[in-house]
């Protein structure tokens, strides 16, 4: 078979087009992963500031928020406890974070270390692992589920 310039040009165009298509989802996932990481950071800030409006905007209506001790809260309980300052966060440090985006969902894992209290001057230190599931609603990422576990 004789290879002409047309064959080479066609092959080059197909290869460059396939390469561009192969990188598009990676770029989109990277942008989504960054957006999810930003949402995690914004949630942490909202918890530290007891910001009811921000908390409301960052969590899904169907929220299931599980604590390492077994307590599970819905959206109203989660937002209400923090906004009313029944639980006060003095500090929250997240480390070892990973974000995996799967279509319109994201799985986030990180280590959590915090100081929290109830306003009585006594602070509790927590060192736990966290699994979060985020859901993309429109262009916003909302926390759908969170489970803490003892490490």
């Amino acid at each position: 078979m004789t290879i002409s310039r047309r064959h080479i040009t066609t092959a080059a165009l197909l290869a460059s087009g396939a390469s561009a298509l192969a990188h598009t989802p990676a770029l989109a996932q990277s942008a989504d992963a960054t957006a999810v990481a930003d949402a995690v950071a914004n949630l942490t800030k909202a918890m530290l500031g007891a910001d009811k409006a921000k908390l409301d905007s960052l969590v899904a209506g169907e929220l299931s928020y599980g604590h390492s001790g077994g307590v599970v809260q819905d959206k109203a309980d989660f937002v209400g406890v923090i906004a009313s300052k029944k639980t006060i966060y003095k500090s929250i440090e997240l480390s070892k974070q990973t974000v995996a985006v799967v279509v319109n969902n994201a799985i986030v894992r990180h280590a959590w270390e915090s100081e929290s209290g109830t306003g009585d001057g006594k602070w509790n230190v927590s060192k736990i692992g966290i699994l979060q599931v985020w859901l993309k609603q429109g262009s916003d990422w909302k926390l759908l589920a969170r489970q803490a576990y003892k490490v």
Side-chain angles (χ1 to χ4, degrees):
M1 170 176 164
T2 305
I3 298 176
S4 68
R5 287 184 194 176
R6 182 181 297 170
H7 290 117
I8 293 171
T9 303
T10 302
L13 287 172
L14 287 173
S16 65
S19 175
L21 288 174
H23 292 297
T24 301
L27 292 174
Q29 181 167 344
S30 178
D32 278 337
T34 299
V36 171
D38 290 345
V40 171
N42 289 335
L43 180 63
T44 302
K45 289 176 193 168
M47 291 172 74
L48 286 165
D51 186 335
K52 184 179 188 308
K54 196 67 170 167
L55 290 167
D56 268 330
S57 73
L58 287 165
V59 300
E62 306 83 4
L63 178 68
S64 176
Y65 193 92
H67 294 268
S68 62
V71 173
V72 178
Q73 296 172 307
D74 62 11
K75 180 178 180 172
D77 288 339
F78 168 72
V79 172
V81 165
I82 295 172
S84 68
K85 298 189 178 181
K86 288 181 183 173
T87 297
I88 301 166
Y89 288 98
K90 184 177 181 181
S91 67
I92 300 173
E93 302 268 339
L94 306 180
S95 62
K96 301 177 187 174
Q97 182 165 286
T98 61
V99 177
V101 176
V102 183
V103 190
N104 288 331
N105 300 289
I107 300 165
V108 177
R109 289 184 174 274
H110 51 244
W112 161 297
E113 186 171 339
S114 70
E115 278 187 272
S116 63
T118 58
D120 61 1
K122 296 178 185 172
W123 297 100
N124 301 310
V125 174
S126 297
K127 294 181 182 182
I128 53 179
I130 303 289
L131 168 67
Q132 295 178 333
V133 178
W134 290 78
L135 175 66
K136 191 170 189 179
Q137 293 181 335
S139 61
D140 298 325
W141 286 94
K142 307 269 186 176
L143 181 64
L144 179 62
R146 181 256 202 193
Q147 184 59 57
Y149 54 92
K150 295 177 183 178
V151 289

